[in-house]
């Protein structure tokens, strides 16, 4: 089910599953192209959570996905502001983020926080700039098809990792980074063609369901 | 093959499967002379960026932009040789 939420800059779409359940969480998607590659994974996770009696809401960030805003005019602080407005509406027990979405979960009120394969701003910017290698020089401001402003990238690059509390971090087994749990699966956010990984989705649903249940009891 | 060469070889094949969506059988069949950039249709400039970043994550290395050239990605052998040298420091 698609709806819209309002923030100072306008209206944006969001996806919602299991709105009837008392426990609700917010999912923050990966940034830019990675979001497209993880869309099926996120949809599977939302369905799985609903089957466990947990409602979830996935907002479109201004300037991405179906948004009518031009990403070139969007500031990183706009994303924080949009998510604050969305969070007040949903009143989530947990904020669950994927990849670069973890750069946006601090400052949002919740009983707990959950991050899957969190990534730093510096590395995301590096990845975006790398997509230009070997590509055309026609438009140097086009990163993987997104006309992102220098201001946005400069802020994103400098974002310090702020761990909210209580936080649970989950990573793939192939990832050398620190985590509370490691699960098997493939990095769908790096796939040239959007893929699916039902086993990964099931493992994420199981881990998230446990964490949400713990946080709901706080 | 040394243990380290074997590890790099295995990781590169695994990354080609995960990033490019090659079947494990196709990845296993690659040898030192197998062409990569310019030969594998899956390996476009976007995929190159993802491939390099995933290799950095799994091998715990940093690949500087000035180290990137067509030669390094020309074949499976040239890529693994470059990475082995990086891992050895």
């Amino acid at each position: 089910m698609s709806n819209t939420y309002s923030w100072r800059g306008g209206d944006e779409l969001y996806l919602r599953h299991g709105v009837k359940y008392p426990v609700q969480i917010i999912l923050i998607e990966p940034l830019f192209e990675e979001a497209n590659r993880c869309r099926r994974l996120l949809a599977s996770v939302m369905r799985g959570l609903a089957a466990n009696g947990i409602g979830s809401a996935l907002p479109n960030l201004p300037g991405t996905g179906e948004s009518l805003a031009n990403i070139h005019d969007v500031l990183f602080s706009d994303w924080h502001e949009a998510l604050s407005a969305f969070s007040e509406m949903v009143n989530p027990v947990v904020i669950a983020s994927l990849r670069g979405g973890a750069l946006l979960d601090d400052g949002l009120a919740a009983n707990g926080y959950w991050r899957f394969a969190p990534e730093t701003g510096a590395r995301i910017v590096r990845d975006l700039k790398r997509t230009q290698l070997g590509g055309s020089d026609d438009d140097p401001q086009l990163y993987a098809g997104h006309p992102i402003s220098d201001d946005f990238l400069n802020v994103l690059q400098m974002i310090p990792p702020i761990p909210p509390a209580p936080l649970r971090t989950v990573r793939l087994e192939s990832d050398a980074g620190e985590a509370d749990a490691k699960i098997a699966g493939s990095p769908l956010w790096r796939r040239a063609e959007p893929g699916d990984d039902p086993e990964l989705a099931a493992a994420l649903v199981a881990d998230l369901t446990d964490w949400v249940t713990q946080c709901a009891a706080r | 093959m040394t243990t380290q060469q074997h590890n790099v070889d295995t990781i590169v094949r695994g990354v080609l499967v995960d990033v490019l969506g090659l079947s494990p059988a196709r990845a296993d069949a690659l040898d030192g002379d197998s062409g990569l950039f310019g030969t594998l249709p899956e390996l476009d400039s976007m995929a190159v960026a993802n491939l390099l970043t995933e290799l950095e994550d799994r091998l715990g290395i940093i690949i500087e932009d000035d180290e990137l050239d067509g030669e390094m990605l020309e074949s499976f052998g040239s890529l693994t040789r470059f990475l082995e040298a990086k891992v050895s420091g």
Side-chain angles (χ1 to χ4, degrees), chain A residues 88-126:
Chain A
E88 278 171 27
M89 186 184 85
V90 175
N91 199 14
V93 168
V94 163
I95 308 279
S97 55
L98 279 76
R99 303 281 301 151
L103 300 168
L104 293 161
D105 65 2
D106 63 292
L108 301 178
N111 290 11
Y113 303 82
W114 184 92
R115 293 173 171 180
F116 175 53
E119 186 58 291
T120 64
R123 287 186 53 106
I124 289 170
V125 169
R126 210 159 143 246

Side-chain angles (χ1 to χ4, degrees), chain B residues 10-87:
Chain B
T10 306
I11 285 172
V12 174
R13 288 179 205 273
V15 169
L16 289 170
V17 168
D18 282 342
V19 174
L20 301 185
L22 298 190
S23 68
R26 219 173 128 204
D28 282 346
L30 294 170
D31 62 28
D33 295 329
S34 301
L36 296 181
F37 195 57
T39 305
L40 291 178
E42 293 89 346
L43 194 57
D44 57 19
S45 60
M46 177 84 114
V48 167
N50 289 307
L51 182 77
L52 295 173
T53 311
E54 187 64 19
L55 284 168
E56 287 182 330
D57 284 358
R58 296 202 196 176
L59 292 167
I61 57 171
I62 302 281
I63 302 167
E64 302 298 339
D65 287 348
D66 59 14
E67 293 178 301
L68 296 176
D69 56 34
E71 210 172 297
M72 186 253 265
L73 283 164
E74 195 177 347
S75 67
F76 185 76
S78 62
L79 177 61
T80 49
R81 275 193 301 279
F82 170 82
L83 294 170
E84 279 156 15
K86 287 295 286 187
V87 173

Side-chain angles (χ1 to χ4, degrees), chain A residues 91-208:
Chain A
N91 199 14
V93 168
V94 163
I95 308 279
S97 55
L98 279 76
R99 303 281 301 151
L103 300 168
L104 293 161
D105 65 2
D106 63 292
L108 301 178
N111 290 11
Y113 303 82
W114 184 92
R115 293 173 171 180
F116 175 53
E119 186 58 291
T120 64
R123 287 186 53 106
I124 289 170
V125 169
R126 210 159 143 246
D127 224 20
L128 284 169
K129 291 189 169 169
R130 249 185 197 168
T131 60
Q132 296 183 309
L133 295 170
S136 74
D137 295 328
D138 294 350
D139 189 345
Q141 285 225 321
L142 214 52
Y143 299 95
H146 303 277
I148 308 164
S149 72
D150 288 343
D151 282 352
F152 190 106
L153 290 182
N154 290 340
V155 172
L156 179 57
Q157 181 152 15
M158 299 303 286
I159 301 272
I162 305 168
L167 170 67
R168 179 173 171 81
T169 302
V170 176
R171 290 183 186 275
L172 290 178
E173 282 172 350
S174 56
D175 187 335
E178 281 182 27
D180 298 302
K182 297 235 172 163
I183 56 177
S186 58
L188 295 174
W189 52 90
R190 296 251 163 81
R191 281 296 274 270
E193 299 294 327
D196 199 7
D197 188 338
E199 286 167 21
L200 173 60
L204 292 176
V205 167
D207 195 277
L208 196 43

Side-chain angles (χ1 to χ4, degrees), chain A residues 1-4 13-16:
Chain A
M1 191 169 61
S2 271
N3 299 296
T4 58
L13 289 170
Y14 68 94
L15 200 64
R16 195 147 196 186

